[in-house]
Amino acid sequence: MDMILNISGALCLLVGSFLCISGGVGLLRFPDFYTRMHAVGVTDTLGAGMILIGLMFYSPDFLIFSKLVIILLLTLLIGPTTSHVLAKAAMQNNLKPKLQQEDNIKETSSSNY
Amino acid sequence: MKDLFAVVMLLGIYSLLSASFFVAMDAVDVAFTEAAVGAGISTLLMLVVITITGRSEKTTRHKPLLALLVVVFTGSMLIYGTFDMPYFGIADAPIHSHVAPRYIQESMKEVGIPNIVTSVLASYRAFDTFGEVVVIFTAGIGVMALLSVGRRPEENEKTTAIDDSMHEQYLVIRIVTKMLIPFILLYALYVQFHGDFGPGGGFQAGVIFAAAIILYTMLFGLTTARKVINQSFIQFIAAAGVLLYGCVGIVSMLNGANFFDYNALASDPVAGQHLGILLIEWGVGCTVASVMIMIFFNFAERREMQQNNEKINNIEGDSL
């Protein structure tokens, strides 16, 4: 039983840290605001969540376990909301996502004016 | 850097980082305060100021050489001053041999509170803390005197229409906020009353409480928030907090002890200390929370007035 807890906790921590690192790489490598935000938003929620779940496996008593559950619920609630608000604010300030083809951009921008 | 928004964000990040190194140095109370006050509320208040003043710095004509010279000179003097200081963490530094041993060894017997920081802040150094609270109160009065806008114009149909259209725009964040605010307020109360046993206390609790109210104001509009908390009530609470703090000192003086000597508050010295610390933390929390809310309200009101004036100007320009 103890070994199962240890191994599953370690697995969760590993996945979580991998997701956080990939989020960091995405933040640096993606081309425009929206894709960057996507990288950070998705991986931060899931990555932090996985790390918290991994820590739950290791928690020695119920008090710490319940604190971790509360933190998890808070991140699950706040993370996606902040990403949503950020994207919305960028949209309202007329920041357009970078599209692949050159003429595609021209078409959209010309149709807007 | 010319973009003030970026400057404010960098300042917030710096505060958060310094909070994390306070944690690394085992100063949890300081870290908590830094995170709540430095990274949280002061960043927020500066952002509010930016909405009024505009985002970019004014371009200066002259080269600020003199200022650079003064900064470099002062900085090098300060660094020179640090050479005289004892090494970091050295055991016989003056700061460790003056009053600190008494705080560490005797405070449990004298004050009876597990968190030494709280007993130093609220009991041994109560007079200093009183000064801090008065400073905050004065800041609130200053902002009010400078920015307060007399009577608000009555709400007309147009603004309610704008409010309704905003509701659809901000639906997600409004609902999430509605879910979160009770927990934030509850957490503030927890921090307030748990300050005796763990990190926390009146300052942090007040700031967290104010942050919840400010969040509500930002999302639901100043008019709605004013209905929940009106200006004169907050002013009253801000003053009442300082008054409560001062009164605890006066009462202990009337009981024949020194100013802020809580031993005289009850028949048992330790019980007196507990009562005194509870009361003054309560006073600090009230004052800090209401002053923060007051500052935010006044800035937001100014901003609203500016916007309304712009709107009226635009309408007049269109009709011409």
Side-chain angles (χ1 to χ4, degrees):
Chain A
M1 187 62 197
D2 219 26
M3 209 175 78
I4 299 172
L5 279 184
N6 266 339
I7 290 175
S8 41
L11 215 66
C12 283
L13 284 180
L14 209 68
V15 172
S17 31
F18 170 74
L19 282 172
C20 282
I21 290 173
S22 68
V25 172
L27 178 67
L28 292 173
R29 295 287 298 166
F30 274 142
D32 75 335
F33 178 80
Y34 293 99
T35 42
R36 280 180 186 175
M37 214 196 56
H38 160 79
V40 176
V42 171
T43 54
D44 253 19
T45 312
L46 195 61
M50 285 309 265
I51 288 179
L52 285 169
I53 290 171
L55 289 177
M56 278 175 210
F57 282 112
Y58 285 106
S59 58
D61 57 14
F62 183 71
L63 186 66
I64 293 177
F65 180 79
S66 51
K67 278 180 187 170
L68 286 171
V69 170
I70 291 173
I71 297 174
L72 179 68
L73 287 179
L74 214 63
T75 30
L76 286 184
L77 204 63
I78 291 175
T81 316
T82 44
S83 323
H84 164 82
V85 172
L86 259 180
K88 199 154 198 167
M91 255 340 231
Q92 274 177 0
N93 287 313
N94 293 325
L95 182 70
K96 296 212 173 54
K98 210 175 192 176
L99 301 174
Q100 203 174 16
Q101 285 111 15
E102 282 289 309
D103 23 79
N104 204 349
I105 294 173
K106 270 177 203 160
E107 267 171 31
T108 48
S109 56
S110 62
S111 65
N112 273 337
Y113 291 112
Chain B
M1 202 176 277
K2 295 286 181 202
D3 190 358
L4 292 177
F5 184 75
V7 173
V8 171
M9 280 298 142
L10 279 179
L11 215 62
I13 292 168
Y14 174 71
S15 285
L16 208 60
L17 279 180
S18 52
S20 58
F21 66 64
F22 285 141
V23 172
M25 292 164 97
D26 248 355
V28 198
D29 282 85
V30 188
F32 194 8
T33 315
E34 183 67 38
V37 178
I41 204 94
S42 55
T43 312
L44 213 154
L45 289 179
M46 279 190 266
L47 285 179
V48 175
V49 175
I50 280 182
T51 59
I52 297 180
T53 59
R55 204 176 141 156
S56 52
E57 203 180 340
K58 232 184 233 169
T59 46
T60 44
R61 296 260 170 77
H62 63 280
K63 292 256 189 321
L65 266 179
L66 183 69
L68 183 71
L69 209 71
V70 169
V71 167
V72 167
F73 180 72
T74 319
S76 52
M77 288 304 274
L78 285 174
I79 290 172
Y80 176 71
T82 59
F83 290 143
D84 265 355
M85 280 171 65
Y87 274 126
F88 171 72
I90 201 164
D92 55 353
I95 193 157
H96 297 313
S97 53
H98 182 48
V99 283
R102 181 177 160 208
Y103 292 158
I104 292 168
Q105 284 155 14
E106 309 280 317
S107 77
M108 195 62 200
K109 219 185 306 164
E110 286 178 354
V111 183
I113 279 177
N115 188 4
I116 299 175
V117 178
T118 301
S119 57
V120 171
L121 180 109
S123 178
Y124 292 112
R125 296 255 169 257
F127 199 65
D128 296 0
T129 314
F130 187 49
E132 284 165 28
V133 176
V134 172
V135 164
I136 290 173
F137 182 62
T138 318
I141 291 179
V143 168
M144 226 171 63
L146 286 174
L147 293 177
S148 168
V149 185
R151 270 193 70 79
R152 290 169 52 71
E154 293 299 315
E155 192 179 355
N156 53 22
E157 282 173 22
K158 262 184 197 165
T159 51
T160 35
I162 291 170
D163 262 13
D164 282 348
S165 71
M166 255 171 69
H167 187 67
E168 290 214 336
Q169 231 171 1
Y170 299 118
L171 197 59
V172 173
I173 186 164
R174 275 190 175 183
I175 288 171
V176 172
T177 311
K178 265 185 192 165
M179 283 159 72
L180 280 179
I181 280 180
F183 293 106
I184 301 177
L185 293 179
L186 194 68
Y187 182 64
L189 288 177
Y190 166 78
V191 170
Q192 168 83 45
F193 292 111
H194 199 258
D196 298 2
F197 305 100
F203 286 99
Q204 295 96 318
V207 167
I208 294 170
F209 200 87
I213 305 287
I214 289 173
L215 185 66
Y216 182 80
T217 315
M218 287 201 295
L219 289 172
F220 293 88
L222 199 58
T223 327
T224 325
R226 287 274 194 203
K227 277 178 201 152
V228 182
I229 296 170
N230 75 46
Q231 176 82 26
S232 53
F233 177 68
I234 307 182
Q235 287 168 9
F236 172 73
I237 294 290
V242 179
L243 197 66
L244 177 64
Y245 198 139
C247 282
V248 173
I250 299 281
V251 167
S252 60
M253 228 159 81
L254 289 178
N255 282 353
N258 287 330
F259 198 48
F260 290 126
D261 188 353
Y262 308 140
N263 285 349
L265 286 181
S267 50
D268 177 34
V270 174
Q273 292 280 352
H274 278 273
L275 182 65
I277 288 176
L278 191 77
L279 284 175
I280 69 141
E281 290 275 17
W282 191 228
V284 171
C286 285
T287 302
V288 171
S290 44
V291 165
M292 294 301 153
I293 296 170
M294 213 155 77
I295 291 176
F296 179 80
F297 272 12
N298 278 314
F299 273 108
E301 206 163 29
R302 266 288 145 139
R303 168 79 182 145
E304 207 168 64
M305 205 174 74
Q306 249 180 17
Q307 273 175 338
N308 282 346
N309 285 348
E310 274 168 24
K311 254 182 229 157
I312 291 167
N313 284 342
N314 282 345
I315 292 168
E316 280 175 357
D318 285 345
S319 63
L320 285 173

